[in-house]
């Protein structure tokens, strides 16, 4: 795929698959759910051709790097900036802003209190339950349902089943122009081998992460950050995120912050608005 190379590296006792292209300063791309390295292929090709070494692992990394991340990758990116700011030159964060730690309420408990048991993260909590519901509709349906979501607001599942999932308006026949049949087939081939338990366990670990990060309550992120979200993004439009982003709270937690809201764009902005995202990444990291 346009010069992208693949290899397996051993880090911290585990083997990780990475896709990479180019030479120069490292730009590290972290994907979210239900994605893989493949969701960054447009950005890897673009940045790898502009004098950077673009690297995207399949999550499961470091010289000092430029960091680009989306969804769960974005959350991990915030942790990296929080724990080791010396390793990050600058951070381009897509979709998920910094989540300020509430010292009195565990993360998932707060979501449950706000949106109830059928909020998607709450429904992901019981081991095996969501996997069984996903199995009833099939891997391709699950991935297409999530990757094509454009409905703003909190994602709520139908009671007791995957059903229409997070995307009741999903087209049965056509994919959006930015998600090809080959893209979807790649994701399906990988998730049919691995299943969804690994990715879902990220959500099941959120309360434990809350406990482990108690010493960082009230921390400020000192890394320079460019936050980019679609105006229809389901994260941006729920959990009070829009108010947090624009009312000064986000800027208080991340003093060196730029915010970009993309008109008419939804959650998977790295796919839907790939060229615009490429330009934002290059324009930002080229300043450092």
């Amino acid at each position: 795929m346009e010069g992208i190379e693949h290899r397996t590296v051993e880090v911290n006792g585990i083997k990780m698959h990475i896709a990479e292209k180019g030479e120069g300063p490292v730009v590290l791309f972290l994907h979210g759910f239900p994605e893989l390295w493949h969701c960054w292929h447009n950005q890897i090709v673009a940045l790898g051709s502009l004098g950077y070494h673009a690297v995207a692992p399949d999550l499961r990394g470091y010289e000092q790097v430029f960091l680009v991340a989306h969804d769960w990758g974005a959350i991990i990116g915030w942790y990296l900036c929080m724990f080791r700011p010396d390793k990050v030159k600058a951070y381009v964060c897509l979709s998920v802003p910094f989540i300020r730690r509430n010292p009195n309420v565990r993360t998932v408990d707060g979501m449950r209190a706000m949106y109830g048991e059928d909020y998607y993260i709450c429904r992901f909590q019981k081991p095996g339950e969501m996997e069984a519901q996903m199995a009833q509709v099939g891997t391709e349906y699950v991935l297409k349902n999530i990757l094509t979501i454009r409905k703003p607001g909190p994602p709520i599942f139908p009671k007791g089943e995957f059903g229409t999932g997070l995307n009741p308006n999903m087209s049965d026949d056509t994919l959006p122009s930015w998600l090809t049949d080959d893209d979807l087939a790649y994701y399906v081939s990988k998730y049919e081998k691995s299943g969804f338990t690994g990715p879902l366990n990220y959500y099941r670990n959120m309360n434990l992460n809350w406990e482990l990060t108690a010493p960082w309550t009230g921390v400020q992120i000192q890394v320079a950050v460019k936050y980019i979200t679609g105006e229809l993004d389901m994260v941006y439009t729920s959990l009070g995120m829009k108010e947090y982003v624009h009312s000064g709270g986000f800027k208080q937690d991340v003093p060196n912050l730029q915010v970009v809201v993309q008109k008419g764009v939804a959650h998977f902005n790295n796919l839907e608005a790939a060229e615009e995202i490429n330009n934002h990444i290059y324009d930002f990291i080229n300043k450092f």
Side-chain angles (χ1 to χ4, degrees), residues 82-83 101 205-216:
M82 187 165 69
F83 298 147
R101 185 182 184 277
N205 208 53
M206 292 179 84
N207 277 349
L208 178 58
N209 288 342
W210 176 88
E211 294 174 11
L212 294 173
T213 54
W216 287 269

Side-chain angles (χ1 to χ4, degrees), residues 28-171:
L28 179 64
F29 293 89
L30 302 180
H31 67 77
F33 177 75
E35 301 159 292
L36 297 165
W37 76 268
H38 186 82
C39 72
W40 295 114
H41 67 270
N42 293 301
Q43 286 74 34
I44 295 172
V45 170
L47 274 295
S49 301
L50 290 170
Y52 293 91
H53 180 191
V55 180
D58 280 334
L59 285 180
R60 197 319 232 166
Y62 280 64
E63 63 203 87
Q64 193 182 44
V65 298
F66 294 111
L67 182 63
V68 184
H70 175 262
D71 192 76
W72 252 108
I75 297 174
I76 295 170
W78 288 117
Y79 285 143
L80 179 56
C81 292
M82 187 165 69
F83 298 147
R84 293 301 304 269
D86 58 305
K87 295 295 185 183
V88 184
K89 292 181 182 178
Y91 180 26
V92 179
C93 174
L94 308 184
S95 177
V96 183
F98 181 73
I99 299 174
R100 181 185 293 174
R101 185 182 184 277
N102 183 336
N104 301 312
V105 182
R106 298 191 304 174
T107 306
V108 178
D109 297 354
M111 294 173 176
R112 184 177 290 111
M114 188 174 291
Y115 293 128
E117 291 288 350
D118 291 320
Y119 181 62
Y120 78 112
I121 291 176
C122 300
R123 282 282 294 276
F124 287 170
Q125 292 303 305
K126 186 176 179 181
E129 183 175 86
M130 182 52 64
E131 289 92 329
Q133 293 173 3
M134 288 175 165
Q136 290 175 352
V137 298
T139 302
E140 181 175 349
Y141 182 92
V142 169
L143 291 168
K144 182 179 177 182
N145 183 271
I146 297 174
L147 289 170
T148 61
I149 187 170
R150 298 185 58 77
K151 182 177 180 291
I156 308 293
F157 275 107
K159 282 199 174 294
E161 62 176 357
F162 190 92
T164 55
L166 306 180
N167 190 1
N169 300 318
M170 183 180 78
S171 169

Side-chain angles (χ1 to χ4, degrees), residues 22 57 186 200 245 286:
Y186 180 85
L200 293 175
V245 167
N286 194 42

Side-chain angles (χ1 to χ4, degrees), residues 3-4 8 32 34 51 65 98 128 187 215-216 218 234 247-248 258 272 283-284:
I4 296 176
T8 300
V65 298
F98 181 73
Y187 289 121
W216 287 269
M234 60 186 184
S247 68
Q258 298 179 28
E272 182 180 349
D283 290 345
F284 186 59

